[in-house]
Amino acid sequence: MNTLADDVAARGRKVILRRKRLSDAKDDYAWRSDQELARYDAVLPLRMSFSDFLASLLAQLRYPDPARRSYAIEDESGRHIGNAMYYNLREGMGEAELGITIGDRGYWGQGYGSDAVQALVKLMFRQKGLRRMFLHTLDWNVRAQRCFQKAGFVPRGLVQRDGRNFVLMEIRQPQDVRAARKNTGG
């Protein structure tokens, strides 16, 4: 599938982040129903019917929540391989939380995740003027921690939620970039 220029939110070296489409539903449903992927995300696998999931996705596309947005991740050939999102957006505080799933296992361990994370961070710093993005990843998920560190995130401590241990990681926009944006009005 060709990505329309209007759909492109950001580009990395290996990936394109684009607006979500209803045609993403099949992949998203499969990934969110997958027990292993759910374990990495510290959630239960999706158990609703595909038609209910489709209706939910349609509602999200029609009535987006300004505090969260999900983007499809495509490889160089336009294949939908995962999703990246921001949520818990607090523009007044200049921060948001980040999440990512590379659902297509054939793309694991090849730098697509860190490239997508870097592209999303740059987009959020530029478009929303954020100063900080953060995330929580399970303490045993060393591969994800390496991915996030490769993208510039720094571990800041441990957090417990729902009986699980997470590593809190963050990335901050450098002071000199913020000062330049402020001085140029952008």
Side-chain angles (χ1 to χ4, degrees):
M1 176 179 287
N2 289 338
T3 302
L4 302 173
D6 290 348
D7 283 349
V8 174
R11 292 181 185 274
R13 294 177 331 280
K14 302 175 83 165
V15 302
I16 292 171
L17 298 184
R18 65 157 170 81
R19 290 189 316 203
K20 297 292 291 171
R21 301 180 188 133
L22 206 53
S23 59
D24 296 328
K26 182 180 164 199
D27 291 335
D28 289 351
Y29 184 78
W31 297 333
R32 295 201 37 214
S33 300
D34 183 287
Q35 191 161 348
E36 181 182 13
L37 291 175
R39 183 173 164 263
Y40 281 114
D41 211 16
V43 297
L44 293 173
L46 194 63
R47 294 291 179 231
M48 70 173 60
S49 70
F50 180 71
S51 61
D52 287 346
F53 178 78
L54 197 57
S56 174
L57 179 59
L58 184 58
Q60 289 173 26
L61 293 174
R62 283 187 179 158
Y63 310 105
D65 178 349
R68 68 180 296 129
R69 169 143 312 149
S70 182
Y71 299 96
I73 302 169
E74 291 185 349
D75 71 0
E76 305 93 332
S77 68
R79 180 183 173 105
H80 181 211
I81 64 169
N83 299 303
M85 68 167 41
Y86 69 83
Y87 53 101
N88 294 332
L89 174 66
R90 295 182 288 267
E91 287 188 77
M93 294 178 69
E95 65 182 27
E97 193 161 357
L98 178 142
I100 183 171
T101 298
I102 300 296
D104 187 326
R105 287 170 176 78
Y107 290 82
W108 287 9
Q110 297 181 42
Y112 287 91
S114 60
D115 190 42
V117 168
Q118 288 171 330
L120 181 58
V121 167
K122 286 178 188 173
L123 174 72
M124 297 303 291
F125 283 169
R126 184 183 72 242
Q127 187 180 79
K128 299 284 185 188
L130 299 186
R131 295 182 299 277
R132 173 182 180 253
M133 290 199 75
F134 63 98
L135 59 88
H136 296 85
T137 189
L138 290 157
D139 64 347
W140 52 262
N141 193 348
V142 176
R143 184 177 63 219
Q145 292 168 39
R146 281 195 306 260
C147 164
F148 297 131
Q149 286 176 326
K150 184 177 171 184
F153 280 77
V154 177
R156 293 295 183 205
L158 293 175
V159 176
Q160 275 198 330
R161 275 197 269 180
D162 301 324
R164 294 184 179 103
N165 295 319
F166 294 85
V167 177
L168 169 65
M169 301 179 81
E170 72 174 12
I171 187 168
R172 292 183 177 269
Q173 188 178 73
Q175 289 284 352
D176 56 338
V177 173
R178 282 190 297 212
R181 285 189 57 147
K182 192 175 182 181
N183 290 336
T184 61

